[in-house]
Amino acid sequence: MTKRVYKVNEVFQTIQGEGSYTGTPSIFVRLQGCPVGCSWCDTKHTWLIDPALQVGLPEVMAKRAESDYWAEVTPEALLSVFSERAYQAKHVVITGGEPCMYDLVPLCNMLQQHGYTSQIETSGTFEVRVPEHSWVTVSPKINMAGGYQVLTSAMQRANEIKHPVAMQKHVDELLQLLQQTATTDKLIYLQPISQQKRATELAIASCINHNWRLSVQVHKYLGIE
């Protein structure tokens, strides 16, 4: 049987700075590939999967700056990296790129078998293939350049919905999406784009108005990865 492999851009240990797990020591596994096309994306180096930029896992782990180099990695190899690096965190955040381009069931199950919890950060535009025990954060990307639609199935699978906002139309789009997908029982966070003052003020006011929660990207205020 062919082993499951994932295209990995980087792996690092830090503090989760967003959503319900804010402040939690976490291992981030960033996967390569995303066609969604968010204009404000801060990880555009993960968008394209260029075979010419494939390297080995040691080269990925040796990175000291953002790059579009990636490696094909098995779940077993990832676990070995966690051990070799002596990572202490037991919460693994699988992000991207767009992680739900991949079937994440084998990876998440192996993580659980070895004492880790898993969290997926997705745009909601691809089918979410994860076990029930995985925490799913949907950051719905509405009307992006790639033309992908946010899936009702992704919204309904979400444990939390974390929506980036810069202007009122972003709040209105979220309200419409929640109505269309009959999503009423989730934790909902608003996240100001790029920590802009105006966006932050809008997010605070909207959270109070709708009884939502605020996510402020704590890691960026702290100046950590």
Side-chain angles (χ1 to χ4, degrees), residues 198-209:
R198 198 165 130 200
T200 301
E201 290 171 350
L202 170 65
I204 291 170
S206 299
C207 285
I208 292 171
N209 188 34

Side-chain angles (χ1 to χ4, degrees), residues 23-175:
T24 303
S26 302
I27 301 167
F28 275 69
V29 177
R30 190 177 302 285
L31 302 184
Q32 190 76 14
C34 182
V36 178
C38 304
S39 59
W40 64 81
C41 178
D42 57 5
T43 57
K44 290 183 179 179
H45 58 286
T46 66
W47 285 10
L48 298 179
I49 300 174
D50 184 347
L53 296 174
Q54 182 177 353
V55 296
L57 182 56
E59 286 79 10
V60 163
M61 297 306 301
K63 284 186 186 183
R64 293 295 176 265
E66 292 180 352
S67 78
D68 44 9
Y69 290 95
W70 55 272
E72 286 196 335
V73 183
T74 63
E76 294 83 358
L78 273 177
L79 286 171
S80 294
V81 164
F82 298 172
S83 176
E84 291 162 7
R85 294 287 172 123
Y87 289 158
Q88 297 302 302
K90 290 297 182 181
H91 184 65
V92 179
V93 181
I94 305 169
T95 185
E98 173 46 73
C100 288
M101 291 173 62
Y102 300 86
D103 179 358
L104 299 171
V105 172
L107 175 56
C108 293
N109 278 338
M110 178 161 286
L111 289 171
Q112 186 193 43
Q113 291 163 12
H114 287 81
Y116 295 91
T117 56
S118 56
Q119 176 183 1
I120 316 305
E121 295 186 341
T122 174
S123 65
T125 59
F126 284 78
E127 180 187 353
V128 180
R129 293 174 289 174
V130 299
E132 188 60 35
H133 58 75
S134 296
W135 182 271
V136 176
T137 301
V138 172
S139 181
K141 300 306 188 293
I142 305 167
N143 298 324
M144 294 296 127
Y148 288 80
Q149 299 298 308
V150 177
L151 303 179
T152 296
S153 62
M155 292 289 287
Q156 294 180 345
R157 172 59 181 85
N159 297 99
E160 65 179 3
I161 294 163
K162 179 166 57 67
H163 191 57
V165 296
M167 56 190 75
Q168 183 61 42
K169 80 166 190 174
H170 297 138
V171 178
D172 295 340
E173 286 172 343
L174 176 60
L175 286 167

